[in-house]
Amino acid sequence: MKFDNTYDKLPAEFFSEAAPNKFTSPKLLKFNKGLAKELNLSLESESEESLADIFSGQKILEGSHPIAMVYAAHQFGNFVPRLGDGRAMLLGEILDLKGKRVDVQLKGAGPTEYSRNGDGFSALGPVIREYIVSEAMHHLGVPTTRALAAVATRDDVYREIVQPGGVFTRVAASHIRIGTFQYFGAKRDVKGLETLLDYSINRHYPEIQSAIKESDGSLSSAVLFLRKVIIAQVSLVTKWMSLGFIHGVMNTDNMTVSGETIDYGPCAFMDTFKSDQVYSYIDRNGRYSYENQRAIVAWNLSRLADCLIPLVDPNQDKAIELLNAELKATNDLFIDEWQRRMAEKLGLTITPATKSEDMALIVLWLELLEKEKLDFTLSFRTLPDLLEANVDQQNSLFNPTSDFNKFELMWKERLKNEPLGIAAIKEKMNSLNPLYIPRNHQVEKAIQGAIKGDLTVFNEMNQVLSNPYAHQPDLDFYKQAPLPNEEIEATFCGT
């Protein structure tokens, strides 16, 4: 790895030094060779033992500078002014084949200054979950952190029960969060905020600099930055919802300014569609339910705007007015993006003339899924089969109820206005509606297998989810919804 670190050049209050723990006998479970190639890593000659040492922190490569980043957060609405990487440490930054800068971070490698009452370690289960789900999200086309390696430490960690430990290597565009801005905002550290804003713009949105120059300085970099983050986060969360994904813990420290999905703790993909579905065991009031993700992303963006007030204009009222103008657009932007994604999944292209009709059709479809307790993923994937002339209605996923017949009639009538033919519409729908998602019950089987030393399900899931839109006959059972006795009703952070 050729490290090219920049975050550790920021002032000392942005991070603390960190050192990975020594483990008994680390064992490599998975190394992502495809991602390693994209990152231009020259590790082909390394043995599995050497890779296990590198990706558990036993061997620190030249140029690496392990640090833990500090940040704050609103956690379930409650503000904590100082958090930070309590069980993670940044090894450093590298440039991939396209010259893009990315972070390489270890999760579960031991305590840091920010571990508080935690031990800094990770159980093996969360390592397996994050590897599977983050890579699945990437192949589903969702901006996300990536999985580079999974290692079993072969040392125990102590939670409610004793569990085997693991270390996960995460790759991210950066680990700068809304909570990072909140840390300096809470301290009223304007200089720290300015430094963080400049760094974030240079790293993620350098085009802002050109826009300011062209405006002769009349535009505010902080306002333009907020606009960029709004667009990125709205695009991300609408993509989640189009796939039935529930993050489960949308605290401000889990929302990146780059617009990547980060921290796969109690996350889950829905099986049966339920608009207010919650899986996270700790989300007792449904704050981060499926449907509430829209409201929460807007709330989180408002917390970022709070931090930017002193960077916009010396006149606080004017600064708030400028930032509020950006925030007010968030709801309409979200609705438009969500409607576009859901319409495309139904084979429709929204136009101004069809917008109202298409929204009614989308709402009718989702109400039908919920009323009939249908599987979200399989329903979208099966729907285009109804466009075939000789479809076997008896073997259809859908019951011929009056509600469904009404939807089917409206949908097929609306498709007549599409410029594409039926075959092209089916192809388009199948390219947007996956056959395979990381279903909760299968992820749990992979975790339990890995704990026992059997990586069969873990490896099969990674294989099938690397191509989620294409039929894979040998692994087709991974598309199946859970049986009643297999359903997972609650997920856990696992930290």
Side-chain angles (χ1 to χ4, degrees), residues 313-348:
D313 194 278
N315 183 319
Q316 181 172 294
D317 290 339
K318 182 178 179 181
I320 292 173
E321 181 182 353
L322 290 169
L323 291 166
N324 273 337
E326 301 298 325
L327 293 171
K328 285 177 182 176
T330 303
N331 189 58
D332 288 344
L333 180 65
F334 194 101
I335 292 173
D336 288 345
E337 187 73 0
W338 175 83
Q339 184 181 1
R340 180 186 66 79
R341 292 192 190 281
M342 299 303 285
E344 286 181 341
K345 286 170 70 67
L346 293 175
L348 310 176

Side-chain angles (χ1 to χ4, degrees), residues 185-201:
K187 296 199 306 173
R188 300 182 185 276
D189 182 352
V190 176
K191 185 176 181 181
L193 283 169
E194 288 175 341
T195 300
L196 180 59
L197 177 64
D198 289 344
Y199 181 87
S200 300
I201 288 174

Side-chain angles (χ1 to χ4, degrees), residues 8-26:
D8 65 356
K9 306 299 189 298
L10 296 177
E13 59 265 29
F14 279 74
F15 60 89
S16 65
E17 303 290 326
N21 187 73
K22 293 300 179 184
F23 298 110
T24 302
S25 179

Side-chain angles (χ1 to χ4, degrees), residues 220-421:
S220 163
S221 60
V223 171
L224 292 178
F225 175 71
L226 177 62
R227 184 182 301 172
K228 289 286 188 180
V229 179
I230 288 172
I231 292 170
Q233 281 293 335
V234 165
S235 177
L236 176 68
V237 178
T238 53
K239 183 67 173 176
W240 289 354
M241 295 182 72
S242 75
L243 293 166
F245 177 77
I246 305 168
H247 186 277
V249 61
M250 289 174 67
N251 296 332
T252 54
D253 60 320
N254 292 335
M255 307 300 286
T256 64
V257 300
S258 66
E260 283 187 331
T261 315
I262 191 172
D263 286 335
Y264 293 94
C267 68
F269 283 78
M270 274 194 293
D271 295 308
T272 300
F273 179 70
K274 186 180 177 186
S275 57
D276 62 352
Q277 178 68 59
V278 175
Y279 284 102
S280 173
Y281 180 77
I282 58 176
D283 190 6
R284 302 299 176 87
N285 298 315
R287 177 180 174 87
Y288 300 139
S289 68
Y290 171 80
E291 66 180 357
N292 212 36
Q293 293 180 126
R294 168 184 160 190
I296 289 298
V297 72
W299 192 89
N300 286 341
L301 289 164
S302 294
R303 302 293 70 78
L304 175 60
D306 292 341
C307 303
L308 298 176
I309 292 171
L311 306 183
V312 174
D313 194 278
N315 183 319
Q316 181 172 294
D317 290 339
K318 182 178 179 181
I320 292 173
E321 181 182 353
L322 290 169
L323 291 166
N324 273 337
E326 301 298 325
L327 293 171
K328 285 177 182 176
T330 303
N331 189 58
D332 288 344
L333 180 65
F334 194 101
I335 292 173
D336 288 345
E337 187 73 0
W338 175 83
Q339 184 181 1
R340 180 186 66 79
R341 292 192 190 281
M342 299 303 285
E344 286 181 341
K345 286 170 70 67
L346 293 175
L348 310 176
T349 304
I350 291 178
T351 68
T354 65
K355 189 172 184 179
S356 178
E357 175 190 354
D358 291 345
M359 178 62 90
L361 194 58
I362 293 165
V363 170
L364 180 62
W365 168 248
L366 294 178
E367 287 176 345
L368 175 66
L369 295 188
E370 187 157 14
K371 182 179 179 180
E372 298 293 329
K373 295 182 171 58
L374 295 175
D375 185 89
F376 184 85
T377 300
L378 292 180
S379 294
F380 272 104
R381 182 68 184 208
T382 305
L383 188 60
D385 292 344
L386 298 182
L387 298 174
E388 296 178 7
N390 299 316
V391 63
D392 183 357
Q393 190 69 37
Q394 286 189 332
N395 293 325
S396 172
L397 185 69
F398 311 108
N399 295 318
T401 62
S402 58
D403 288 335
F404 179 75
N405 291 337
K406 177 183 177 182
F407 165 79
E408 185 179 18
L409 183 65
M410 288 176 60
W411 177 58
K412 289 183 176 179
E413 188 64 27
R414 169 63 181 84
L415 286 177
K416 292 178 181 178
N417 295 327
E418 287 295 309
L420 299 176

